[in-house]
Amino acid sequence: MRLDIAPRRLATPPGEPVALAVEISNTGDVISGYTVRVLGADPSWVRVDEPQPRLFPGESTTVGILLSPPDSLPAGERRIAVQVRELSGSRRTSVEEVVLEVPERRDLAVTLDPTTVHAGRRGTYGVFLENRGNTTVAGRVVGTDPERRITFRFDPPGFALAPGEHAVLELRASARRRMFGAVEARTFELRVDDGRRPAPPQPELAPVPGTSGSATAPVTSHALDAPASDGVPPDAMGVLVQ
């Protein structure tokens, strides 16, 4: 039996199947059957078009394998193997390795709850983060407002989420309110800074009163700390009514 597989390395675009061609040659002198299996992959995303071919002596055939990995497959290299077992003759078994290159799919959902807070000087929100992609996402959330009147404090100041994980941050938004006049609704935007675009350094943390020098307060973020939007919609929006 002779076995050849092409390609040996292939990329797996999100949502698209990829194909392998397995060429089997009967080098023996009797008719032989074969079984074709894929090892190291969930059977639900593997399809073999002819899992048990039969060949005359000297005959060859090509078996197609279609791989449809789920979007949740972790990013990076994944090794699988194609096993072909001869059912007669020498009953030889051949195993050949194939490398799947799974690209990063970044999908971080950001939800602000509540979206509107009626407050005096300061309003408190919950920022819910959920990593729906296939790679770890780490960074911080920053806030901006058109008037640059609001100070944003996030606790904890940063996050690191593996695929499928979630986290909750507390946001305290504060601004000086009018002494007299109508109520003001201050809109603001939240964006995730994950280091993929240039951004000013994170502000230094101030010591928490009444604690040792190693303790720090949550990050205070102003409009100038936010990464440039480049026309990209914000990850979340909110309103502080004062």
Side-chain angles (χ1 to χ4, degrees), residues 19 22 28 55 102 105-106 109 111 118 121 125 133 137 155 168 182 186 194-195 199 210 213 218 223-224 226 231:
V22 180
L55 298 176
V102 183
R105 184 179 58 83
R106 301 175 75 84
T111 305
H118 295 257
R121 179 180 177 85
Y125 307 76
V137 179
D155 187 16
V168 180
R186 304 186 187 277
D194 60 0
L224 294 179

Side-chain angles (χ1 to χ4, degrees), residues 1-171:
M1 176 180 65
R2 186 174 67 249
L3 179 65
D4 188 32
I5 299 177
R8 297 288 181 144
R9 175 182 290 268
L10 67 167
T12 58
E16 297 182 20
V18 292
L20 289 174
V22 180
E23 184 179 9
I24 306 169
S25 301
N26 184 356
T27 57
D29 53 8
V30 297
I31 297 174
S32 183
Y34 304 85
T35 60
V36 181
R37 297 177 57 201
V38 177
L39 309 178
D42 192 306
S44 65
W45 48 272
V46 176
R47 192 181 75 192
V48 182
D49 63 9
E50 191 179 1
Q52 294 186 321
R54 289 178 61 84
L55 298 176
F56 286 96
E59 187 180 12
S60 298
T61 189
T62 299
V63 176
I65 297 178
L66 197 64
L67 305 174
S68 302
D71 289 344
S72 58
L73 199 65
E77 290 190 353
R78 182 187 182 98
R79 299 180 184 274
I80 64 173
V82 176
Q83 180 196 72
V84 177
R85 184 163 58 91
E86 195 172 15
L87 301 178
S88 58
S90 63
R91 296 186 179 275
R92 179 186 170 191
T93 297
S94 292
V95 178
E96 299 289 342
E97 191 174 80
V98 175
V99 177
L100 300 181
E101 298 176 354
V102 183
E104 287 189 358
R105 184 179 58 83
R106 301 175 75 84
D107 184 2
L108 183 67
V110 182
T111 305
L112 185 67
D113 186 34
T115 56
T116 301
V117 170
H118 295 257
R121 179 180 177 85
R122 180 183 297 110
T124 302
Y125 307 76
V127 182
F128 298 84
L129 308 175
E130 181 183 3
N131 187 355
R132 299 175 180 173
N134 68 349
T135 186
T136 297
V137 179
R140 59 175 182 148
V141 180
V142 294
T144 62
D145 67 291
E147 299 176 325
R148 298 183 178 180
R149 298 284 185 86
I150 303 177
T151 298
F152 303 88
R153 296 168 63 88
F154 297 89
D155 187 16
F159 67 90
L161 299 176
E165 290 186 340
H166 66 274
V168 180
L169 313 181
E170 183 183 73
L171 164 61

